[in-house]
Amino acid sequence: MSRTVINTPNAPQAIGTYSQAVKVGTTVYLSGQIPLVPSTMEVISEDFAEQTQQVFANLTAVCEAAGGTLNDLAKVNIFMTDLSNFATVNEIMSQHFSQPYPARAAIQISALPKGVQIEIDGVMEL
């Protein structure tokens, strides 16, 4: 099967050796998004809720560039530097998804790129 690289200026450009997303058949593999504002490539703020909203905005842009929506995500992985923010993630996630919700993992890790507090990646089925 052929692979198609997904790229949009409406999400942060890759800051390493990866693509924003790769489509194989009807499956799209989204790279992790952090709370960078696409136009400036700067972290939106230090506020966890604002960072989470920006991550979902970035994911939305990549999903749309691939021909889908957030609700087409079958699986998301959420990486946080502090699991005490779990309730905030749930609240914000409920604003961006409708049921049935995607499968999900939420994991606390020690650090993320650019010192951000959250990163989310996913797998979308079109």
Side-chain angles (χ1 to χ4, degrees):
M1 253 183 214
S2 67
R3 297 182 338 163
T4 303
V5 172
I6 306 300
N7 189 43
T8 178
N10 298 322
Q13 297 305 301
I15 57 175
T17 54
Y18 61 91
S19 301
Q20 289 174 336
V22 175
K23 181 178 177 185
V24 180
T26 59
T27 305
V28 180
Y29 301 90
L30 286 81
S31 291
Q33 287 292 321
I34 61 175
L36 297 178
V37 176
S39 61
T40 65
M41 292 297 289
E42 298 293 328
V43 177
I44 190 161
S45 79
E46 294 298 316
D47 180 74
F48 182 79
E50 287 182 20
Q51 286 194 11
T52 304
Q53 290 286 9
Q54 185 64 52
V55 168
F56 279 113
N58 295 343
L59 288 169
T60 297
V62 176
C63 287
E64 289 173 353
T69 69
L70 282 180
N71 283 310
D72 294 314
L73 285 167
K75 174 73 162 73
V76 294
N77 296 304
I78 302 172
F79 305 94
M80 296 177 278
T81 57
D82 186 349
L83 274 180
S84 70
N85 291 314
F86 191 73
T88 302
V89 169
N90 281 332
E91 177 186 332
I92 293 171
M93 190 171 168
S94 73
Q95 298 168 15
H96 294 277
F97 288 89
S98 57
Q99 291 189 25
Y101 300 125
R104 175 181 87 177
I107 303 159
Q108 180 171 319
I109 60 173
S110 63
L112 287 164
K114 297 194 175 270
V116 301
Q117 301 172 65
I118 185 167
E119 178 173 353
I120 302 175
D121 70 12
V123 178
M124 180 170 64
E125 185 61 32
L126 298 175

Short mmCIF file of all heavy atoms in Angstrom, two decimals, residues 60-121:
data_model
loop_
_atom_site.label_atom_id
_atom_site.label_comp_id
_atom_site.label_asym_id
_atom_site.label_seq_id
_atom_site.Cartn_x
_atom_site.Cartn_y
_atom_site.Cartn_z
N THR A 60 -7.22 18.84 15.29
CA THR A 60 -8.34 19.09 14.38
C THR A 60 -7.83 19.48 13.00
O THR A 60 -8.32 18.98 11.98
CB THR A 60 -9.26 20.19 14.95
OG1 THR A 60 -9.81 19.72 16.18
CG2 THR A 60 -10.38 20.54 13.99
N ALA A 61 -6.84 20.37 12.95
CA ALA A 61 -6.29 20.82 11.68
C ALA A 61 -5.68 19.66 10.89
O ALA A 61 -5.87 19.56 9.67
CB ALA A 61 -5.26 21.92 11.92
N VAL A 62 -4.96 18.80 11.57
CA VAL A 62 -4.34 17.67 10.88
C VAL A 62 -5.41 16.68 10.41
O VAL A 62 -5.35 16.18 9.28
CB VAL A 62 -3.28 16.98 11.77
CG1 VAL A 62 -2.71 15.74 11.08
CG2 VAL A 62 -2.16 17.96 12.13
N CYS A 63 -6.40 16.41 11.26
CA CYS A 63 -7.49 15.51 10.85
C CYS A 63 -8.19 16.06 9.61
O CYS A 63 -8.46 15.31 8.67
CB CYS A 63 -8.50 15.34 11.98
SG CYS A 63 -7.94 14.32 13.36
N GLU A 64 -8.48 17.35 9.61
CA GLU A 64 -9.17 17.96 8.47
C GLU A 64 -8.31 17.91 7.21
O GLU A 64 -8.82 17.64 6.11
CB GLU A 64 -9.58 19.39 8.80
CG GLU A 64 -10.71 19.43 9.81
CD GLU A 64 -11.06 20.83 10.30
OE1 GLU A 64 -10.32 21.81 9.96
OE2 GLU A 64 -12.07 20.96 11.02
N ALA A 65 -7.01 18.12 7.35
CA ALA A 65 -6.11 18.04 6.19
C ALA A 65 -6.09 16.64 5.61
O ALA A 65 -5.87 16.46 4.40
CB ALA A 65 -4.70 18.47 6.59
N ALA A 66 -6.34 15.65 6.44
CA ALA A 66 -6.36 14.25 5.98
C ALA A 66 -7.74 13.83 5.47
O ALA A 66 -7.91 12.71 5.00
CB ALA A 66 -5.94 13.33 7.12
N GLY A 67 -8.73 14.72 5.58
CA GLY A 67 -10.07 14.41 5.09
C GLY A 67 -11.02 13.89 6.15
O GLY A 67 -12.06 13.31 5.82
N GLY A 68 -10.70 14.10 7.41
CA GLY A 68 -11.55 13.60 8.49
C GLY A 68 -11.81 14.65 9.54
O GLY A 68 -11.60 15.85 9.33
N THR A 69 -12.28 14.19 10.70
CA THR A 69 -12.54 15.05 11.84
C THR A 69 -12.01 14.35 13.09
O THR A 69 -11.65 13.16 13.05
CB THR A 69 -14.06 15.30 12.04
OG1 THR A 69 -14.67 14.07 12.47
CG2 THR A 69 -14.72 15.80 10.76
N LEU A 70 -12.00 15.07 14.19
CA LEU A 70 -11.59 14.44 15.45
C LEU A 70 -12.43 13.20 15.75
O LEU A 70 -11.92 12.22 16.29
CB LEU A 70 -11.73 15.42 16.62
CG LEU A 70 -10.66 16.48 16.79
CD1 LEU A 70 -10.98 17.36 17.99
CD2 LEU A 70 -9.28 15.86 16.95
N ASN A 71 -13.70 13.23 15.38
CA ASN A 71 -14.57 12.09 15.68
C ASN A 71 -14.24 10.85 14.86
O ASN A 71 -14.76 9.78 15.13
CB ASN A 71 -16.04 12.47 15.53
CG ASN A 71 -16.51 13.28 16.72
OD1 ASN A 71 -16.31 12.89 17.86
ND2 ASN A 71 -17.11 14.42 16.45
N ASP A 72 -13.34 10.98 13.88
CA ASP A 72 -12.86 9.82 13.13
C ASP A 72 -11.67 9.15 13.80
O ASP A 72 -11.22 8.10 13.36
CB ASP A 72 -12.49 10.23 11.70
CG ASP A 72 -13.69 10.67 10.89
OD1 ASP A 72 -14.73 9.97 10.94
OD2 ASP A 72 -13.60 11.72 10.22
N LEU A 73 -11.16 9.78 14.87
CA LEU A 73 -10.05 9.16 15.59
C LEU A 73 -10.55 7.91 16.31
O LEU A 73 -11.53 7.96 17.05
CB LEU A 73 -9.45 10.13 16.60
CG LEU A 73 -8.59 11.24 16.01
CD1 LEU A 73 -8.29 12.31 17.04
CD2 LEU A 73 -7.29 10.66 15.47
N ALA A 74 -9.87 6.80 16.08
CA ALA A 74 -10.23 5.54 16.74
C ALA A 74 -9.46 5.37 18.04
O ALA A 74 -9.93 4.70 18.96
CB ALA A 74 -9.93 4.36 15.80
N LYS A 75 -8.28 5.99 18.14
CA LYS A 75 -7.41 5.82 19.30
C LYS A 75 -6.61 7.09 19.50
O LYS A 75 -6.11 7.67 18.54
CB LYS A 75 -6.46 4.64 19.08
CG LYS A 75 -5.38 4.41 20.14
CD LYS A 75 -5.96 3.84 21.40
CE LYS A 75 -4.97 3.20 22.33
NZ LYS A 75 -4.08 4.01 23.06
N VAL A 76 -6.52 7.55 20.73
CA VAL A 76 -5.64 8.65 21.08
C VAL A 76 -4.77 8.25 22.26
O VAL A 76 -5.17 7.46 23.12
CB VAL A 76 -6.40 9.96 21.41
CG1 VAL A 76 -7.12 10.50 20.19
CG2 VAL A 76 -7.35 9.79 22.56
N ASN A 77 -3.56 8.77 22.25
CA ASN A 77 -2.63 8.60 23.36
C ASN A 77 -2.35 9.99 23.91
O ASN A 77 -1.95 10.88 23.16
CB ASN A 77 -1.32 7.96 22.89
CG ASN A 77 -1.55 6.56 22.38
OD1 ASN A 77 -2.07 5.72 23.08
ND2 ASN A 77 -1.15 6.32 21.14
N ILE A 78 -2.57 10.16 25.19
CA ILE A 78 -2.38 11.45 25.84
C ILE A 78 -1.20 11.32 26.81
O ILE A 78 -1.20 10.46 27.69
CB ILE A 78 -3.65 11.88 26.61
CG1 ILE A 78 -4.83 11.94 25.64
CG2 ILE A 78 -3.42 13.21 27.31
CD1 ILE A 78 -6.17 12.17 26.31
N PHE A 79 -0.22 12.18 26.61
CA PHE A 79 0.97 12.20 27.45
C PHE A 79 0.95 13.50 28.24
O PHE A 79 0.85 14.58 27.65
CB PHE A 79 2.23 12.10 26.59
CG PHE A 79 2.23 10.91 25.68
CD1 PHE A 79 1.78 11.02 24.37
CD2 PHE A 79 2.65 9.67 26.14
CE1 PHE A 79 1.77 9.92 23.53
CE2 PHE A 79 2.63 8.55 25.30
CZ PHE A 79 2.19 8.69 24.00
N MET A 80 1.03 13.39 29.56
CA MET A 80 1.01 14.56 30.44
C MET A 80 2.17 14.49 31.41
O MET A 80 2.58 13.40 31.81
CB MET A 80 -0.29 14.60 31.25
CG MET A 80 -1.54 14.76 30.44
SD MET A 80 -3.02 14.70 31.48
CE MET A 80 -3.21 12.92 31.65
N THR A 81 2.63 15.66 31.81
CA THR A 81 3.70 15.68 32.81
C THR A 81 3.15 15.62 34.22
O THR A 81 3.92 15.46 35.17
CB THR A 81 4.59 16.94 32.65
OG1 THR A 81 3.77 18.10 32.73
CG2 THR A 81 5.34 16.91 31.32
N ASP A 82 1.82 15.70 34.37
CA ASP A 82 1.20 15.63 35.70
C ASP A 82 -0.21 15.05 35.56
O ASP A 82 -1.10 15.72 35.06
CB ASP A 82 1.15 17.02 36.32
CG ASP A 82 0.65 17.03 37.76
OD1 ASP A 82 0.14 16.00 38.24
OD2 ASP A 82 0.78 18.09 38.39
N LEU A 83 -0.40 13.84 36.04
CA LEU A 83 -1.71 13.19 35.93
C LEU A 83 -2.79 13.85 36.78
O LEU A 83 -3.96 13.54 36.62
CB LEU A 83 -1.61 11.70 36.29
CG LEU A 83 -1.22 10.76 35.15
CD1 LEU A 83 -1.14 9.32 35.65
CD2 LEU A 83 -2.16 10.86 33.98
N SER A 84 -2.41 14.77 37.63
CA SER A 84 -3.44 15.48 38.39
C SER A 84 -4.29 16.36 37.46
O SER A 84 -5.35 16.85 37.86
CB SER A 84 -2.83 16.33 39.51
OG SER A 84 -2.13 17.43 38.99
N ASN A 85 -3.85 16.55 36.23
CA ASN A 85 -4.61 17.31 35.24
C ASN A 85 -5.60 16.43 34.46
O ASN A 85 -6.23 16.90 33.51
CB ASN A 85 -3.66 18.00 34.25
CG ASN A 85 -2.89 19.11 34.89
OD1 ASN A 85 -3.45 19.93 35.60
ND2 ASN A 85 -1.59 19.15 34.64
N PHE A 86 -5.76 15.20 34.87
CA PHE A 86 -6.60 14.23 34.17
C PHE A 86 -8.05 14.73 34.02
O PHE A 86 -8.65 14.60 32.95
CB PHE A 86 -6.56 12.89 34.90
CG PHE A 86 -7.16 11.75 34.14
CD1 PHE A 86 -6.51 11.19 33.06
CD2 PHE A 86 -8.39 11.22 34.52
CE1 PHE A 86 -7.07 10.13 32.36
CE2 PHE A 86 -8.96 10.16 33.83
CZ PHE A 86 -8.29 9.61 32.74
N ALA A 87 -8.62 15.30 35.07
CA ALA A 87 -10.01 15.78 35.02
C ALA A 87 -10.15 16.91 34.00
O ALA A 87 -11.15 16.98 33.28
CB ALA A 87 -10.48 16.24 36.39
N THR A 88 -9.15 17.77 33.92
CA THR A 88 -9.18 18.86 32.93
C THR A 88 -9.15 18.29 31.52
O THR A 88 -9.89 18.76 30.64
CB THR A 88 -7.99 19.81 33.15
OG1 THR A 88 -8.06 20.33 34.48
CG2 THR A 88 -8.00 20.95 32.15
N VAL A 89 -8.33 17.28 31.30
CA VAL A 89 -8.29 16.64 29.98
C VAL A 89 -9.66 16.06 29.64
O VAL A 89 -10.15 16.24 28.52
CB VAL A 89 -7.20 15.53 29.93
CG1 VAL A 89 -7.34 14.70 28.67
CG2 VAL A 89 -5.82 16.14 30.01
N ASN A 90 -10.28 15.37 30.57
CA ASN A 90 -11.60 14.79 30.32
C ASN A 90 -12.62 15.86 29.96
O ASN A 90 -13.40 15.70 29.02
CB ASN A 90 -12.09 13.99 31.52
CG ASN A 90 -11.48 12.63 31.61
OD1 ASN A 90 -11.10 12.04 30.60
ND2 ASN A 90 -11.37 12.11 32.81
N GLU A 91 -12.61 16.97 30.71
CA GLU A 91 -13.56 18.05 30.45
C GLU A 91 -13.35 18.64 29.06
O GLU A 91 -14.30 18.81 28.29
CB GLU A 91 -13.40 19.14 31.51
CG GLU A 91 -14.31 20.34 31.28
CD GLU A 91 -14.03 21.45 32.27
OE1 GLU A 91 -13.58 21.18 33.39
OE2 GLU A 91 -14.26 22.61 31.89
N ILE A 92 -12.11 18.93 28.72
CA ILE A 92 -11.82 19.54 27.42
C ILE A 92 -12.05 18.54 26.29
O ILE A 92 -12.60 18.90 25.24
CB ILE A 92 -10.40 20.12 27.41
CG1 ILE A 92 -10.34 21.30 28.37
CG2 ILE A 92 -9.98 20.53 26.00
CD1 ILE A 92 -8.95 21.85 28.63
N MET A 93 -11.69 17.30 26.50
CA MET A 93 -11.91 16.28 25.47
C MET A 93 -13.40 16.15 25.16
O MET A 93 -13.79 15.99 24.00
CB MET A 93 -11.32 14.94 25.92
CG MET A 93 -11.30 13.90 24.84
SD MET A 93 -10.36 12.45 25.38
CE MET A 93 -10.83 11.31 24.10
N SER A 94 -14.25 16.26 26.18
CA SER A 94 -15.70 16.14 25.96
C SER A 94 -16.24 17.30 25.13
O SER A 94 -17.30 17.17 24.51
CB SER A 94 -16.44 16.05 27.30
OG SER A 94 -16.46 17.30 27.95
N GLN A 95 -15.53 18.41 25.07
CA GLN A 95 -15.93 19.54 24.24
C GLN A 95 -15.61 19.32 22.76
O GLN A 95 -16.17 19.99 21.90
CB GLN A 95 -15.22 20.82 24.70
CG GLN A 95 -15.55 21.24 26.11
CD GLN A 95 -14.61 22.32 26.61
OE1 GLN A 95 -13.88 22.95 25.85
NE2 GLN A 95 -14.61 22.54 27.92
N HIS A 96 -14.69 18.40 22.48
CA HIS A 96 -14.21 18.21 21.11
C HIS A 96 -14.66 16.91 20.46
O HIS A 96 -14.53 16.76 19.25
CB HIS A 96 -12.68 18.28 21.09
CG HIS A 96 -12.15 19.64 21.44
ND1 HIS A 96 -12.05 20.65 20.52
CD2 HIS A 96 -11.75 20.17 22.63
CE1 HIS A 96 -11.58 21.74 21.11
NE2 HIS A 96 -11.39 21.47 22.39
N PHE A 97 -15.15 15.98 21.25
CA PHE A 97 -15.58 14.68 20.74
C PHE A 97 -17.04 14.44 21.08
O PHE A 97 -17.53 14.91 22.10
CB PHE A 97 -14.77 13.53 21.37
CG PHE A 97 -13.35 13.44 20.90
CD1 PHE A 97 -12.34 14.15 21.55
CD2 PHE A 97 -13.01 12.65 19.83
CE1 PHE A 97 -11.04 14.07 21.14
CE2 PHE A 97 -11.69 12.56 19.40
CZ PHE A 97 -10.70 13.27 20.06
N SER A 98 -17.70 13.67 20.23
CA SER A 98 -19.03 13.17 20.57
C SER A 98 -18.93 11.66 20.69
O SER A 98 -17.99 11.05 20.18
CB SER A 98 -20.06 13.59 19.53
OG SER A 98 -19.68 13.14 18.25
N GLN A 99 -19.90 11.06 21.36
CA GLN A 99 -19.88 9.60 21.53
C GLN A 99 -20.19 8.92 20.21
O GLN A 99 -20.92 9.47 19.41
CB GLN A 99 -20.89 9.21 22.60
CG GLN A 99 -20.47 9.67 23.96
CD GLN A 99 -21.35 9.09 25.05
OE1 GLN A 99 -21.96 8.05 24.90
NE2 GLN A 99 -21.42 9.77 26.17
N PRO A 100 -19.63 7.77 19.96
CA PRO A 100 -18.72 7.01 20.84
C PRO A 100 -17.32 7.62 20.84
O PRO A 100 -16.80 8.00 19.78
CB PRO A 100 -18.72 5.61 20.24
CG PRO A 100 -18.97 5.84 18.78
CD PRO A 100 -19.88 7.05 18.70
N TYR A 101 -16.76 7.75 22.01
CA TYR A 101 -15.43 8.32 22.16
C TYR A 101 -14.37 7.33 21.65
O TYR A 101 -14.60 6.13 21.63
CB TYR A 101 -15.14 8.66 23.63
CG TYR A 101 -16.10 9.66 24.21
CD1 TYR A 101 -16.82 9.39 25.36
CD2 TYR A 101 -16.29 10.91 23.60
CE1 TYR A 101 -17.69 10.32 25.91
CE2 TYR A 101 -17.17 11.85 24.14
CZ TYR A 101 -17.86 11.54 25.28
OH TYR A 101 -18.72 12.46 25.82
N PRO A 102 -13.21 7.85 21.27
CA PRO A 102 -12.14 6.95 20.82
C PRO A 102 -11.56 6.16 22.00
O PRO A 102 -11.71 6.56 23.16
CB PRO A 102 -11.10 7.90 20.25
CG PRO A 102 -11.31 9.18 20.99
CD PRO A 102 -12.80 9.25 21.24
N ALA A 103 -10.90 5.08 21.68
CA ALA A 103 -10.10 4.39 22.69
C ALA A 103 -8.99 5.36 23.11
O ALA A 103 -8.61 6.24 22.33
CB ALA A 103 -9.51 3.10 22.12
N ARG A 104 -8.48 5.19 24.34
CA ARG A 104 -7.53 6.20 24.82
C ARG A 104 -6.61 5.62 25.86
O ARG A 104 -6.97 4.74 26.63
CB ARG A 104 -8.33 7.35 25.42
CG ARG A 104 -7.49 8.42 26.06
CD ARG A 104 -8.33 9.51 26.64
NE ARG A 104 -8.74 9.16 28.00
CZ ARG A 104 -9.44 9.98 28.78
NH1 ARG A 104 -9.85 11.14 28.33
NH2 ARG A 104 -9.75 9.62 30.00
N ALA A 105 -5.41 6.15 25.88
CA ALA A 105 -4.47 5.92 26.98
C ALA A 105 -4.05 7.30 27.48
O ALA A 105 -3.92 8.23 26.70
CB ALA A 105 -3.24 5.15 26.49
N ALA A 106 -3.89 7.43 28.78
CA ALA A 106 -3.40 8.67 29.39
C ALA A 106 -2.22 8.30 30.28
O ALA A 106 -2.37 7.52 31.21
CB ALA A 106 -4.49 9.36 30.19
N ILE A 107 -1.08 8.87 29.98
CA ILE A 107 0.16 8.44 30.60
C ILE A 107 0.91 9.64 31.15
O ILE A 107 1.03 10.67 30.47
CB ILE A 107 1.05 7.73 29.56
CG1 ILE A 107 0.29 6.54 28.96
CG2 ILE A 107 2.38 7.29 30.16
CD1 ILE A 107 0.83 6.10 27.62
N GLN A 108 1.43 9.53 32.37
CA GLN A 108 2.30 10.57 32.92
C GLN A 108 3.73 10.26 32.53
O GLN A 108 4.20 9.13 32.69
CB GLN A 108 2.18 10.66 34.44
CG GLN A 108 3.09 11.75 35.02
CD GLN A 108 2.84 12.00 36.49
OE1 GLN A 108 1.71 12.04 36.93
NE2 GLN A 108 3.92 12.18 37.24
N ILE A 109 4.41 11.29 32.03
CA ILE A 109 5.82 11.14 31.67
C ILE A 109 6.60 12.28 32.30
O ILE A 109 6.03 13.26 32.76
CB ILE A 109 6.02 11.10 30.14
CG1 ILE A 109 5.52 12.38 29.49
CG2 ILE A 109 5.30 9.91 29.52
CD1 ILE A 109 5.83 12.46 28.02
N SER A 110 7.91 12.17 32.31
CA SER A 110 8.72 13.15 33.03
C SER A 110 8.91 14.46 32.28
O SER A 110 9.05 15.51 32.91
CB SER A 110 10.08 12.56 33.40
OG SER A 110 10.80 12.25 32.24
N ALA A 111 8.91 14.44 30.95
CA ALA A 111 9.15 15.67 30.20
C ALA A 111 8.63 15.53 28.78
O ALA A 111 8.52 14.42 28.26
CB ALA A 111 10.63 16.00 30.18
N LEU A 112 8.31 16.68 28.17
CA LEU A 112 7.85 16.75 26.79
C LEU A 112 8.64 17.83 26.06
O LEU A 112 9.23 18.70 26.70
CB LEU A 112 6.35 17.06 26.73
CG LEU A 112 5.43 15.92 27.14
CD1 LEU A 112 4.02 16.42 27.42
CD2 LEU A 112 5.42 14.83 26.07
N PRO A 113 8.64 17.80 24.72
CA PRO A 113 9.38 18.81 23.97
C PRO A 113 8.96 20.24 24.35
O PRO A 113 7.79 20.50 24.64
CB PRO A 113 9.00 18.53 22.51
CG PRO A 113 8.60 17.09 22.50
CD PRO A 113 7.97 16.84 23.85
N LYS A 114 9.93 21.13 24.34
CA LYS A 114 9.72 22.55 24.62
C LYS A 114 9.13 22.81 26.01
O LYS A 114 8.57 23.87 26.26
CB LYS A 114 8.89 23.21 23.54
CG LYS A 114 9.56 23.18 22.17
CD LYS A 114 8.90 24.12 21.20
CE LYS A 114 9.64 24.17 19.89
NZ LYS A 114 10.68 25.19 19.86
N GLY A 115 9.22 21.84 26.90
CA GLY A 115 8.75 22.02 28.27
C GLY A 115 7.24 22.08 28.41
O GLY A 115 6.74 22.53 29.45
N VAL A 116 6.49 21.62 27.41
CA VAL A 116 5.03 21.67 27.49
C VAL A 116 4.52 20.61 28.45
O VAL A 116 5.25 19.71 28.86
CB VAL A 116 4.38 21.51 26.09
CG1 VAL A 116 4.86 22.61 25.16
CG2 VAL A 116 4.61 20.14 25.50
N GLN A 117 3.23 20.72 28.79
CA GLN A 117 2.64 19.82 29.78
C GLN A 117 1.81 18.69 29.17
O GLN A 117 1.41 17.77 29.89
CB GLN A 117 1.75 20.64 30.72
CG GLN A 117 2.48 21.74 31.46
CD GLN A 117 1.52 22.62 32.21
OE1 GLN A 117 0.86 22.16 33.15
NE2 GLN A 117 1.39 23.88 31.80
N ILE A 118 1.53 18.76 27.85
CA ILE A 118 0.66 17.75 27.24
C ILE A 118 1.03 17.56 25.77
O ILE A 118 1.44 18.50 25.08
CB ILE A 118 -0.83 18.14 27.37
CG1 ILE A 118 -1.74 17.03 26.84
CG2 ILE A 118 -1.11 19.50 26.73
CD1 ILE A 118 -3.21 17.18 27.21
N GLU A 119 0.91 16.32 25.33
CA GLU A 119 1.06 15.95 23.92
C GLU A 119 0.04 14.86 23.63
O GLU A 119 -0.18 13.98 24.47
CB GLU A 119 2.47 15.44 23.63
CG GLU A 119 2.66 15.01 22.18
CD GLU A 119 4.12 14.67 21.84
OE1 GLU A 119 5.02 14.89 22.68
OE2 GLU A 119 4.34 14.17 20.74
N ILE A 120 -0.58 14.92 22.46
CA ILE A 120 -1.57 13.90 22.08
C ILE A 120 -1.28 13.46 20.65
O ILE A 120 -1.05 14.29 19.76
CB ILE A 120 -3.01 14.44 22.17
CG1 ILE A 120 -3.33 14.93 23.59
CG2 ILE A 120 -4.01 13.35 21.75
CD1 ILE A 120 -4.69 15.59 23.74
N ASP A 121 -1.30 12.13 20.43
CA ASP A 121 -1.23 11.59 19.09
C ASP A 121 -2.45 10.72 18.87
O ASP A 121 -3.27 10.55 19.79
CB ASP A 121 0.08 10.83 18.84
CG ASP A 121 0.20 9.52 19.60
OD1 ASP A 121 -0.80 9.02 20.17
OD2 ASP A 121 1.31 8.96 19.63
#
